[in-house]
Amino acid sequence: MKHVAVILSGCGVYDGSEIYEAVITLLSIRQQGATYQCFAPDKDQLHVINHLTGDTEPGATRNVLTESARIARGDIKPVTECKPEDFDALILPGGFGAAKNLCTFAVDGANSQPDTEVLNVCKAFAQAKKPAGYACIAPALAASVYGNNTNMTIGNDCEAAQGLNALGAQHVDCPVDEIVIDSEARLVTTPAYMLAEDILQAHAGLSKLVETVLSMD
């Protein structure tokens, strides 16, 4: 039975992990007969967004690991405890937290800087040739992990695609229900809610991503 490491970035599309994407990912892993362990960085979020109004809450702080624990039902560990030798694959759901808390792409674009602890883990998986899946905006982090013109997608947003290319990736336009595979890097990406207009569309691409990642030997 394969075991998958899943890195979350908080709880909520605007400042953390996209909850539907995270749940679809975890469910798809189990439906494929695999198991998972969730991780997240133990640090404050970039900021806190009121998900009812879309406004930033001045002075509010939330911890990424604590918030991610909401999705993981408390079964989560600091990302520093994530070791490639303990897992068969790595998957990162999207949500703006991936571009705000796992790296600075949401603020810095082409000058994005990855969180050091998260980068170390993701690079360790890449160097160990473990298959990985990055969904939605999470390829903004994957660009810093892989570089080398590795093929990946965030859908078809021109500005975001240019940012990924500037970070060393090779963006490939992709419809919502499909995936992009870079066989050499053993990397799978899908647009998810970068393009999805409902949960069914998000599920179509994410389930393909999980199935493909787990099929890589």
Side-chain angles (χ1 to χ4, degrees), residues 159-184:
E159 184 176 355
Q162 289 172 359
L164 262 64
N165 290 341
L167 289 166
Q170 179 60 55
H171 182 266
V172 180
D173 283 354
C174 178
V176 64
D177 57 348
E178 290 296 337
I179 58 176
V180 168
I181 305 170
D182 189 298
S183 298
E184 184 174 348

Side-chain angles (χ1 to χ4, degrees), residues 6-9 17-18 21-22 25 91-95 98 102 133 135-136 138 206:
V6 178
I7 298 180
L8 301 176
S9 59
S17 291
E18 211 294 322
E21 289 186 20
T25 297
I91 298 180
L92 284 79
L102 305 187
C136 191
L206 285 164

Side-chain angles (χ1 to χ4, degrees), residues 12-211:
V13 58
Y14 299 128
D15 57 13
S17 291
E18 211 294 322
I19 297 171
Y20 290 179
E21 289 186 20
V23 173
I24 290 169
T25 297
L26 300 179
L27 178 60
S28 295
I29 290 170
R30 292 295 295 120
Q31 287 176 325
Q32 290 295 317
T35 59
Y36 60 80
Q37 174 63 54
C38 293
F39 297 90
D42 186 2
K43 67 174 190 178
D44 285 344
Q45 297 179 180
L46 172 66
H47 55 200
V48 176
I49 300 291
N50 181 321
H51 279 61
L52 183 62
T53 65
D55 297 329
T56 303
E57 296 187 353
T61 59
R62 293 186 183 181
N63 179 275
V64 179
L65 179 60
T66 302
E67 292 301 297
S68 298
R70 293 175 179 270
I71 297 174
R73 296 174 59 86
D75 184 10
I76 194 166
K77 299 178 180 180
V79 74
T80 50
E81 296 182 18
C82 183
K83 310 297 181 186
E85 57 268 27
D86 296 332
F87 297 94
D88 298 289
L90 171 70
I91 298 180
L92 284 79
F96 281 111
K100 292 179 176 179
N101 305 324
L102 305 187
C103 66
T104 65
F105 189 80
V107 176
D108 298 325
N111 297 312
S112 177
Q113 294 296 314
D115 176 272
T116 301
E117 292 178 349
V118 174
L119 179 67
N120 288 343
V121 169
C122 293
K123 277 201 165 184
F125 272 85
Q127 290 166 356
K129 295 295 184 182
K130 297 290 178 79
Y134 289 67
C136 191
I137 195 61
L141 172 62
S144 295
V145 173
Y146 292 90
N148 296 322
N149 290 316
T150 300
N151 292 320
M152 60 185 70
T153 191
I154 46 80
N156 57 22
D157 182 272
C158 291
E159 184 176 355
Q162 289 172 359
L164 262 64
N165 290 341
L167 289 166
Q170 179 60 55
H171 182 266
V172 180
D173 283 354
C174 178
V176 64
D177 57 348
E178 290 296 337
I179 58 176
V180 168
I181 305 170
D182 189 298
S183 298
E184 184 174 348
R186 297 169 66 76
L187 174 69
V188 185
T189 53
T190 192
Y193 272 102
M194 289 295 289
L195 292 179
E197 295 180 356
D198 66 25
I199 195 169
L200 281 174
Q201 289 184 347
H203 176 267
L206 285 164
S207 60
K208 285 181 182 178
L209 178 145
V210 171
E211 181 178 1

